[in-house]
Amino acid sequence: MIQLATMQQEHAHDVLRIYGEGLQTGFSTFNTEVPTWEEWDRNHLPHTRIVAVENEEVLGWLALLPVSSRACYRGVAEFSIYIATRHRGRGIADRLMQAMIEESEANGIWTLQSSTFADNATSLRLQERHGFRQIGYRDRIAQLHGVWRNTILLERRSNLF
């Protein structure tokens, strides 16, 4: 049975391993290297870090990154979600997204946003199912492995604020 839990230090190895699997797809990020846990931890907000676990195995995770250090943007966060390759298609991402919305709002987040590769149809559909809407398109914004990529900017505004 899949359970959602607050990400802990003990999950670090699995979180970074799953992130590395995402890097290999070429559909998740412009980053090309897996960070150290210290770098990862420093760059993500201390709240809304969620893992999906089954039989003590981390199947996927979700965490928030601040979009700015300016106080006026304290309620705006970008999310990252990664599912282990062999566990995709099991509805884990939908469960993590719902938990993210609830936990982020409880922590004062009024806007969730993402910059998603335009050809990542799976992620775009996932976000649409959870109330995200397209707010922009960035043509040839950056290169990944020497190839120009386009991104779609999406956001979800909370109804609580």
Side-chain angles (χ1 to χ4, degrees), residues 45-111:
L45 291 173
H47 62 80
T48 317
R49 296 178 176 196
I50 308 165
V51 291
V53 180
E54 184 177 52
N55 299 322
E56 299 183 27
E57 177 187 2
V58 176
L59 312 179
W61 60 269
L62 182 143
L64 299 183
L65 300 100
V67 299
S68 175
S69 61
R70 294 174 56 195
C72 60
Y73 293 111
R74 70 187 175 284
V76 183
E78 181 177 353
F79 79 93
S80 291
I81 184 170
Y82 289 84
I83 308 300
T85 303
R86 67 189 190 101
H87 294 291
R88 294 181 187 147
R90 295 180 58 191
I92 297 166
D94 281 304
R95 291 190 57 195
L96 286 168
M97 291 288 284
Q98 187 57 45
M100 171 191 65
I101 291 165
E102 294 168 11
E103 191 170 324
S104 67
E105 288 178 340
N107 281 282
I109 301 296
W110 58 78
T111 299

